[in-house]
Amino acid sequence: MPVINPQDLVKLQHYPEYVRNICILAHVDHGKTSLTDSLIATNGIISPKMAGKVRYLDSRPDEQNRGITMESSAISLFFSLSRRPQKDVPPQKYDHLINLIDSPGHVDFSSEVSTASRLCDGAVVLVDAVEGVCSQTIAVLRQTWIERLKPILVVNKMDRLITELKMSAGEANIHLNKLVEQVNAVVGSFFQGERMEDDLRWREKLESKVKSTKHDRTDEDIAELNNDNSFPSQNGANGAESTDWQEREDEHIYFEPARGNVIFSSATDGWAFTTKQFAAFYEKKLGIRQQVLEKVLWGDYYLDPKTKRILASKHLKGRSLKPLFVQLVLDNIWAVYDATTGGDKGRGDNSKVEKITTALSINLPNHVLKSRDQSSILTAIFAAWIPLSTALLVSVIEHLPSPQDAQRSRMPGILETSPGSSAISDTVKSATQSLNKDRSSPLVAFVSKMVAISEKNLPENKARSGRTLTADEARELGRKKRAEIARAQAVVNGEQPDLAELKESLQCAAIGGNENTVSDDAEEQTQDIERLIGFARLFSGTLEIGDEVFVLSPKFSPESPTSAPVPQKVTVTALYLLMGRELEPLTSVPPGVVFGIAGLEGHVMKSATLCSQVEGSANLSGVTMGGEPIVRVSLEPENPLDLDRMVVGLRLLEQSDPCAKYEVLENGEHVILTAGELHLERCLKDLRERFAGCEVQVGSPIVPYQESIISASEMNPPRDKELPRGTMVGTVTSKLVTVRLRVRPLPSEVTDFLAQQGLKLQEIFSERGLEENRAGVDLEFPSTAAELGTSSIHELRKQRQGLEKAFDLVKKDRDVWTGLSRKIISLGPRKNGANVLVDLTKDRYCKQIVIDTLLAEKDADVPTNGQASLEATSSKDIADKISYAFQLATAQGPLCQEPMQGVAVFLEEVTTHAEADEESIKESSGRLTGEIIKTVRESIRQGFLDWSPRLLLAMYSCEIQASSKPSNRLLMCVKKTANAQLSSLAEVLGRVYGVVTRRRGRILAESMNEGTPFFTITATIPVAESFGFSEEIRKRTSGAASPQLIFAGFEMLDEDPFWVPFTEEQLEDLGDTSDKENLAKKYMDGVRRRKGLFVQGRKIVESAEKQKTLKK
């Protein structure tokens, strides 16, 4: 294939109707990169023979070694398509630009998929024809649904059905039908879930409309309901407005080969086809119109050999006919494999090959026909008959939208769900939806991530081929060459290289010269500098080098554009065309194009929105990340002098990786958070070799835990028998204030709601820059709804209604929890946790700060400041200290200083003693502040321990795909060795179950993939026991089982860490101590030991008599 000039690609950027932005998504090892190689080969970048072997977009050495993609990479491809405007008119040639992004499939790098999806307009979803729908397949389909991308399904690795499973064409047809149905079932579940949410919102709004006719409502609420687009008004005979439920069709969301959105392929052998191709091929032979054949080539349709008519299954009348898809499509492909790689010992049959090439009018070169490698004959036939690139790129052009069409349909939904959407200006909305490229229109771009590139690989630092070197460049190049020769000669002569370099430098130095001599170490250090390039997409306007744009952080809201963090103005220093491993310089970028941008280093952490204006701009950073970092390790440099280099490297790593996070703990430890074990390994490699350039020591993994309480059947008696369990009365040291509170387990219904929805409150408050200060300053929420935007008010109302419903679902102790949602003072920790502080004091000592104050609604249960019995300023100060103490107590529980979950703290009474007047409180305010915080915090901790404490373990959801051990005997024929395969599979499953059980996992489900030798096992395993799990399970099963670990939240370990045997039977079975059996105590002591806390029962000296002593 001829090499495409990058300038041709740049010209096509200015014609958006001929541009396609696509990403390739799939489960790990389903063939994304191999398929991408076949597309890259069409542009002459790599040889077609090396497609699938080079893995061109896997530019990292560890990607090549492991055979998996770890970073999403982009490349621009050229494709020319000939079309006939009319039937009898000669075809015209249309050039297209395909901006392709290859994304990882491993679950540890799912954040790379999230960043790539926002930049694209369509998605190519690959599914392995043998393995079928896997965990990450569902994840990428969900991502396409959330981002409103139009997908194309590619059933890849079709060759495995022939070579491995030895299926016939008829069996393969049944298998492929089931596979497409599985994918459609997944997409249908997304549609059903969305419709259920729409139905719930419709019912809630309908109920509020009904209530508005019975109760007085504000003008704003009535106007909001009347202007709601989800209620189409239909005036009946009586002129009354009716609200009807709108039905939505779902036929367009499914994959069906007849629609052209399903491709069958084998990236390894380089072929792919759609039913449309075969319909065009058989149109003249069968005398049936192409449009009719496209509809009947897939499904239960048959060809009558006598009448040459298409029959449905009900008209067969007992005849045994092959489906059209088998007879016209699969049989031909199976015949090619049989003629080339089948036959006696896989040598094929030359006579069959000749018949096939004659029937298809294919001329193969003699050296190919005489080749002993039958696979080369196979790929040559398919490359001339149904090449992969043609089928895929034609489908992309015909079925995936251009940037114009995509932004017209996608941008309204994206802007509507963005923070502060009501304040986005109409000019920005119209510009992004219409793809306006005028310089006067607002410029809006989204930077999905920052990519680290070595400075020496930037286009401005690389010498162009064919360009004449300047005198200075030639002199510098000669000096380097002489230094290298002198260094090599010194090694041969046994001299010191440093002396040789010094001698060479003296020889090259000119008397009185002005040349600056730079040591080789400085040169190497300069070459190893990493630069951060933005991976971006332009939605409107035209961007040029030297333009000044504003960087809007993910916390930016147009409702409060001047709030922190304040948008920063930056200057664009360079623009690049992304070509995989290479970058091509650009002078300007039109809208609808994926590109690279320089000049954002130090201003963009992970993602950001670029806009030419601040007022009325949009925040496009609301990307749903596929995975959250859960694995933490502490780092320190081997050489203490390299600490600054390590810190700088960690900050660069945090900016360049969309999922990695860098933190400094209170004890001074430098901690990095990653999504998994493989992600951690990649981050450490980048830190050592690219960003820090120094050796780093890695500590043991830090696994998060949570602490909770329950009401167990066997508990110690309450601390104070006269008070209810969990009730504590604390008096400060100065005897000025006494606080009485009670700690109780929060019902699971409320805990689950707060765990899922608690972050939304923080997102709402962050729009006004009201997030909690980590340094210790307490959070002050706005007092009225006027300080928040309209969208925030709607969300707050939903949260309050959801919280009230969660409390209504509680069945046990309903009298305690009914109506409690309006008495909640605060959530914790950090104002968004699943713990609540409730004010049950007689005169409502603490002010309401969570929801009702924000909505500023008059409620009889919520007293105003005038109704409060304590009106002094000192009472407000004490209330703030109580709230802050609650935050501290829930952030560090008493077991091992991990966050609490599912704990309710009832503030029952706050007493200011008579001798403590207002003046004395003000005089001792500094000391009293610490005393109140200490007393309340300790009271909450003691009330927590009055119940039965529990640890919550971070859990992984593990999907293990196991198969029989690969052997030539099993691969020859699955049917003949069914018994041997089952015995081998049973052995593999036994080893898998052994590894899971040994790591304290739990098997949830197991299923056999029908028609395949694969067995899918679903299990859960604690994160603390997961390190080395993947490697162990592969070793134990000799590579026959492969796990995928996905973080699944926290799960309670039903063991009391303080439990000790006390009955005669328990003492007889377990002895005086049960440390070996109490798993919760083991985890708790491990965390306390790591944090330097006291561990009860820990022996500092095991055998004192065996200790060595110094001689006197």
Side-chain angles (χ1 to χ4, degrees), residues 847-1000:
K847 62 181 180 179
Q848 189 81 1
I849 61 175
V850 175
I851 294 178
D852 292 292
T853 301
L854 293 177
L855 296 178
E857 294 184 356
K858 294 182 179 180
D859 195 332
D861 295 336
V862 184
T864 60
N865 292 335
Q867 293 173 318
S869 61
L870 299 177
E871 298 179 354
T873 57
S874 59
S875 62
K876 296 181 180 180
D877 296 336
I878 294 175
D880 291 340
K881 306 308 177 290
I882 293 174
S883 177
Y884 182 62
F886 168 76
Q887 299 295 328
L888 294 179
T890 54
Q892 295 183 342
L895 298 183
C896 49
Q897 293 188 359
E898 293 292 320
M900 294 184 187
Q901 177 174 313
V903 178
V905 179
F906 296 89
L907 183 63
E908 296 182 346
E909 186 179 358
V910 179
T911 305
T912 304
H913 297 285
E915 62 272 13
D917 55 357
E918 186 176 343
E919 294 182 0
S920 62
I921 292 179
K922 287 184 177 180
E923 291 176 359
S924 59
S925 59
R927 184 189 64 185
L928 189 60
T929 296
E931 291 179 352
I932 293 175
I933 292 176
K934 178 181 177 181
T935 302
V936 174
R937 181 183 180 184
E938 187 62 27
S939 299
I940 294 176
R941 293 166 63 91
Q942 295 300 325
F944 180 96
L945 295 175
D946 210 14
W947 297 86
S948 182
R950 292 290 187 271
L951 274 180
L952 277 74
L953 307 182
M955 302 296 291
Y956 273 137
S957 174
C958 179
E959 183 179 279
I960 306 171
Q961 200 162 51
S963 64
S964 57
K965 293 184 179 180
S967 63
N968 295 330
R969 181 171 56 85
L970 291 175
L971 293 178
M972 286 179 63
C973 183
V974 173
K975 296 181 180 179
K976 294 181 180 180
T977 59
N979 295 332
Q981 182 182 358
L982 288 176
S983 62
S984 180
L985 183 58
E987 182 183 358
V988 172
L989 294 180
R991 295 185 179 185
V992 169
Y993 293 165
V995 175
V996 173
T997 305
R998 188 163 51 253
R999 290 179 175 268
R1000 300 184 178 90

Side-chain angles (χ1 to χ4, degrees), residues 515-578:
E515 294 185 1
N516 296 325
T517 353
V518 183
S519 64
D520 290 339
D521 294 338
E523 291 176 4
E524 293 178 2
Q525 187 175 358
T526 304
Q527 291 177 354
D528 294 337
I529 294 178
E530 297 287 335
R531 297 300 182 188
L532 296 179
I533 305 299
F535 195 27
R537 157 81 181 265
L538 188 62
F539 289 93
S540 66
T542 299
L543 186 63
E544 296 181 354
I545 297 178
D547 287 352
E548 293 185 345
V549 294
F550 290 96
V551 177
L552 312 181
S553 70
K555 295 183 179 181
F556 173 82
S557 175
E559 293 180 343
S560 54
T562 58
S563 299
V566 180
Q568 302 178 3
K569 180 179 286 189
V570 299
T571 303
V572 179
T573 58
L575 298 171
Y576 303 106
L577 176 68
L578 304 175

Side-chain angles (χ1 to χ4, degrees), residues 118-135:
R118 179 57 63 94
L119 304 180
C120 299
D121 303 319
V124 178
V125 181
L126 272 69
V127 178
D128 193 315
V130 176
E131 296 182 7
V133 178
C134 299
S135 58

